[in-house]
Amino acid sequence: METVKKVLLILASLIVIAGLIMLVKSGLNYEDGYSKSMLLDTAKQYALYIGIATVIILVYFGVKYAKNGVGKVIATSALVIIGTQIVILSITALSKIKVNRMFFPIALVAYITSLIALCAKFEKN
Amino acid sequence: MKLKKYKKTVTVVIILIVALIMFASFFGASIKNSQGEKIGIIPDFKLGMEFGNKRVITATINNESSTVIYDSEGNVVEQEEGVEYTEEAGYKTEEIKVNADSVRTVENYKKEKEIIEERLKKNNITEYFINLNESTGKITIEIPENNEADSVQETISTISSFMLLDGETFETLLDESKLKEANVMYSQGNLEMAVFLQLEFNEEGTKKLQELNEIYVESETEQTNENGEVETVQTSKTAWVILNNQIIGQTVLPNIVYNDKIMLTFGVSSDNTELQEATKQANSSAILLNAGTSPIVYDFTNETQGSTISMEAMFTFLVCVGIVFIAAYVFMIIDFKAIGFIASYFQIGFLATLLLILRFTNVSITIEGIAGIIIAMLLQYLYTYIVLNSMNKEKEGMYKKSNLEFFLNSFPIYVIAVVFTFAKRVYISSFGMTIFWGIITIYVYNFVFTKFIYENLSRRSSNGNS
């Protein structure tokens, strides 16, 4: 199990590195009628609400699972949340999937899935 | 024995009620009216813009220009037919663009986009997409093609302006560049109410208005008539009032200036309908002025386009999601056998219940809303799994413990649902609202329908084992 985890972690790191290089080099592949400015505009609309929700959730995790170390819990949570989004972005950049309005719902589902996984992990510990 | 029979009856009734809910949700329910026509009693889904027709309004920079001819002394010459205005004859021709090159900057393009967004927000229009092409300045706005589309389009394309012009020379005395704020005000008389648009100016504008208020007035002068008699004659120096490119009228300023602010009357009436209409127009004008004026002149065109997402694409997507859930239910059946099968039945019942609730609460279903429904289904699956796993432990309060475990595992989702519900943009609030109702439905649905079934299955299986 530990080996599988390590392999998955290495694979994810490689995907992230390759994806970020591709992102910087050639950007995302946008569908007709969708553009970078629309993506950034939509991201700005989400930023406030995601920010508020994430802060509340991190504070909740820090208080609820304080026994595991507040700093460690918050750092792990932040890393998992941000890491999931970076992986989604990297896969999108690498695979050249056409980016359209579906991008944000997919990112939201990934965000929520990462939160459920974090909760389950902390509860188990 | 009686208790066993009662439990069986209740179980059957619960299963039948859930079946009824599924039928109503997936196939609809209707009643016949007095004319014998079928009328649906369940409201339709309120679908987002991407599932229906949309109006695409395109704002492009006006590239027109006008030709102005100057004579050798620099005076503007009115063009006459048959006359050649050449340089040799001492004339100078200049092409004046509606939009000079100096205003065609990215900052001004962004300013126009912000003005349009401000107008949409202040008019409580929450469902729109706006896209700016920074290289050409072209702005594309997408709105739902519905009853309000025409008025929204007018809101976007109306040029906002305010001008006071001299009544004779048409010289601009005051304009919107000095405007601080526009507000709608009311005044209640004995019998009627008046609706005003109040224009408040900045320090410079207020000072200018005070000066103009002394000049553009009615005055009395003494004149000698034909008979040699001195008589008093009333004269007035008036100003034209132009609001949002429409001529409001010509008047002396004391008629419209009160407390160093301009008050334009939009309606005086005792009729509520007329007052509401006057208030609506005054509000609309206030919003246009407060949003600001763009330095660039745009041309607006519009067209209606079909839905962004085809029904085939949506169907394919839902089938894929369905296959994933079916695989999850098969896994549940393999793991928990007969109980897993019953649990899968109630999973589908949950989806039917949630969809009914979303229809009755008039929640907008956008792509993000569908993602919210999928997450609610995931949470319901998680809840059921926790309950089924706890079922074998014949401890007091097994159900309460399962509820607590589920709550602790999914608390962050409640935070997201509540925070997103307050968003103004429809596609964000749709996500929050669907999860919000999904969470409430999980607790209520499971308490009402599945708690009895699972508890009795749990007791029966433990009695069977002993």
Side-chain angles (χ1 to χ4, degrees):
Chain A
M1 201 61 192
E2 280 301 314
T3 320
V4 171
K5 275 186 186 171
K6 278 182 186 168
V7 167
L8 281 173
L9 202 60
I10 293 167
L11 197 64
S13 306
L14 287 171
I15 289 171
V16 164
I17 293 166
L20 289 176
I21 292 170
M22 185 65 92
L23 190 67
V24 167
K25 225 176 157 182
S26 52
L28 296 171
N29 182 20
Y30 299 100
E31 197 177 76
D32 286 338
Y34 203 77
S35 64
K36 183 181 173 183
S37 67
M38 277 177 94
L39 186 81
L40 290 173
D41 265 350
T42 311
K44 275 183 208 167
Q45 300 284 335
Y46 275 106
L48 174 68
Y49 303 99
I50 295 270
I52 292 170
T54 306
V55 164
I56 295 171
I57 290 165
L58 288 178
V59 167
Y60 166 75
F61 281 161
V63 168
K64 180 90 178 47
Y65 307 111
K67 278 182 187 173
N68 298 343
V70 174
K72 188 182 167 192
V73 164
I74 291 177
T76 310
S77 309
L79 202 67
V80 168
I81 292 167
I82 295 167
T84 311
Q85 298 306 310
I86 292 175
V87 167
I88 298 277
L89 202 59
S90 302
I91 292 172
T92 311
L94 271 175
S95 59
K96 291 284 184 194
I97 292 171
K98 287 200 171 180
V99 173
N100 55 22
R101 268 202 67 204
M102 290 291 289
F103 179 78
F104 286 99
I106 292 168
L108 282 171
V109 171
Y111 170 63
I112 284 183
T113 311
S114 66
L115 288 173
I116 294 175
L118 276 168
C119 272
K121 184 180 183 307
F122 290 140
E123 281 295 311
K124 199 177 165 188
N125 287 349
Chain B
M1 192 66 189
K2 260 191 182 175
L3 198 64
K4 253 191 175 173
K5 210 180 170 181
Y6 154 77
K7 281 181 183 174
K8 269 189 184 169
T9 311
V10 171
T11 304
V12 168
V13 165
I14 287 173
I15 290 172
L16 284 175
I17 290 172
V18 171
L20 200 66
I21 290 171
M22 282 198 266
F23 186 87
S25 182
F26 299 140
F27 300 106
S30 56
I31 51 169
K32 277 188 181 167
N33 62 7
S34 51
Q35 278 93 32
E37 293 164 344
K38 274 189 181 173
I39 301 169
I41 54 173
I42 299 171
D44 280 334
F45 282 111
K46 187 180 169 190
L47 294 176
M49 184 169 74
E50 59 270 44
F51 298 113
N53 287 339
K54 62 185 177 189
R55 187 172 298 192
V56 179
I57 301 161
T58 310
T60 46
I61 296 178
N62 186 309
N63 287 319
E64 287 174 4
S65 58
S66 57
T67 309
V68 180
I69 300 172
Y70 298 95
D71 62 17
S72 53
E73 286 167 17
N75 299 320
V76 174
V77 174
E78 220 172 284
Q79 290 188 59
E80 289 174 22
E81 269 191 54
V83 179
E84 280 188 23
Y85 298 95
T86 57
E87 273 190 37
E88 290 81 25
Y91 293 104
K92 188 182 159 191
T93 307
E94 201 176 306
E95 288 288 326
I96 297 181
K97 290 182 185 175
V98 171
N99 289 305
D101 291 335
S102 58
V103 300
R104 292 170 189 250
T105 62
V106 173
E107 286 74 34
N108 283 339
Y109 300 157
K110 285 180 180 173
K111 191 179 175 194
E112 174 69 16
K113 181 174 170 251
E114 280 166 15
I115 287 170
I116 292 172
E117 279 195 285
E118 185 67 19
R119 290 182 184 188
L120 291 169
K121 275 182 206 166
K122 286 281 158 69
N123 274 299
N124 295 321
I125 294 152
T126 53
E127 198 170 5
Y128 66 89
F129 282 101
I130 186 163
N131 183 27
L132 165 67
N133 183 325
E134 287 186 4
S135 52
T136 63
K138 182 169 131 183
I139 299 172
T140 313
I141 309 115
E142 294 176 12
I143 56 172
E145 180 66 67
N146 54 23
N147 297 335
E148 292 173 5
D150 286 338
S151 104
V152 173
Q153 188 178 318
E154 206 183 310
T155 300
I156 291 169
S157 58
T158 303
I159 297 170
S160 91
S161 61
F162 172 76
M163 279 189 284
L164 277 180
L165 306 177
D166 184 283
E168 287 159 19
T169 64
F170 301 103
E171 175 201 346
T172 304
L173 305 169
L174 193 61
D175 63 19
E176 73 278 345
S177 62
K178 310 265 186 309
L179 185 70
K180 184 179 170 188
E181 200 180 7
N183 289 308
V184 177
M185 309 295 279
Y186 303 91
S187 173
Q188 177 69 55
N190 288 334
L191 296 169
E192 293 175 322
M193 183 182 268
V195 180
F196 299 100
L197 177 67
Q198 178 186 277
L199 304 178
E200 190 181 343
F201 295 88
N202 59 19
E203 204 179 313
E204 199 188 329
T206 303
K207 203 176 165 190
K208 178 79 180 172
L209 187 64
Q210 285 167 348
E211 287 167 11
L212 293 170
N213 205 24
E214 302 289 322
I215 301 166
Y216 289 84
V217 296
E218 275 180 358
S219 56
E220 288 176 350
T221 53
E222 285 182 351
Q223 282 183 4
T224 312
N225 63 13
E226 293 164 348
N227 301 330
E229 292 163 351
V230 173
E231 58 182 16
T232 311
V233 174
Q234 253 190 344
T235 56
S236 54
K237 197 165 169 56
T238 58
W240 287 101
V241 180
I242 318 282
L243 180 68
N244 296 329
N245 259 18
Q246 286 185 341
I247 298 170
I248 302 296
Q250 189 179 15
T251 184
V252 292
L253 289 188
N255 279 351
I256 58 170
V257 177
Y258 298 98
N259 290 334
D260 297 332
K261 294 173 189 130
I262 288 180
M263 304 284 276
L264 301 174
T265 310
F266 269 70
V268 181
S269 177
S270 56
D271 181 64
N272 269 338
T273 314
E274 285 178 15
L275 287 172
Q276 276 173 12
E277 184 56 36
T279 304
K280 191 180 163 191
Q281 287 178 7
N283 260 329
S284 182
S285 295
I287 288 166
L288 288 174
L289 288 170
N290 286 331
T293 309
S294 169
I296 302 179
V297 177
Y298 276 86
D299 292 327
F300 290 87
T301 55
N302 71 85
E303 60 168 342
T304 302
Q305 289 182 3
S307 75
T308 314
I309 296 164
S310 67
M311 280 299 121
E312 291 82 23
M314 199 68 234
F315 183 72
T316 309
F317 171 73
L318 289 174
V319 164
C320 291
V321 169
I323 288 168
V324 168
F325 273 103
I326 287 168
Y329 299 153
V330 166
F331 178 75
M332 193 189 278
I333 293 168
I334 292 167
D335 219 5
F336 298 103
K337 313 279 185 294
I339 300 166
F341 181 79
I342 292 165
S344 302
Y345 171 82
F346 282 106
Q347 296 291 302
I348 300 166
F350 167 79
L351 175 63
T353 311
L354 178 59
L355 292 177
L356 271 179
I357 288 171
L358 292 176
R359 286 162 90 160
F360 277 107
T361 52
N362 210 28
V363 171
S364 268
I365 307 293
T366 59
I367 299 174
E368 291 80 4
I370 291 175
I373 293 170
I374 292 169
I375 287 165
M377 290 286 291
L378 271 169
L379 288 174
Q380 166 66 7
Y381 185 85
L382 178 70
Y383 179 92
T384 306
Y385 219 86
I386 289 171
V387 167
L388 294 182
N389 264 330
S390 309
M391 258 175 57
N392 292 330
K393 301 165 194 169
E394 190 58 34
K395 273 186 203 168
E396 201 63 33
M398 173 275 289
Y399 214 80
K400 270 187 190 166
K401 200 187 169 199
S402 304
N403 271 333
L404 184 64
E405 194 183 334
F406 173 72
F407 175 80
L408 292 172
N409 273 305
S410 57
F411 177 79
I413 319 302
Y414 308 160
V415 172
I416 290 168
V418 168
V419 169
F420 274 54
T421 303
F422 287 102
K424 285 192 178 152
R425 296 293 293 273
V426 162
Y427 56 89
I428 302 176
S429 64
S430 173
F431 182 74
M433 290 297 287
T434 47
I435 296 180
F436 175 81
W437 283 114
I439 290 165
I440 290 179
T441 309
I442 286 171
Y443 284 106
V444 174
Y445 175 83
N446 286 297
F447 180 76
V448 171
F449 296 119
T450 66
K451 181 173 183 276
F452 182 86
I453 307 265
Y454 293 152
E455 276 181 341
N456 280 293
L457 279 173
S458 161
R459 286 195 193 115
R460 197 190 302 173
S461 64
S462 65
N463 287 342
N465 288 340
S466 60

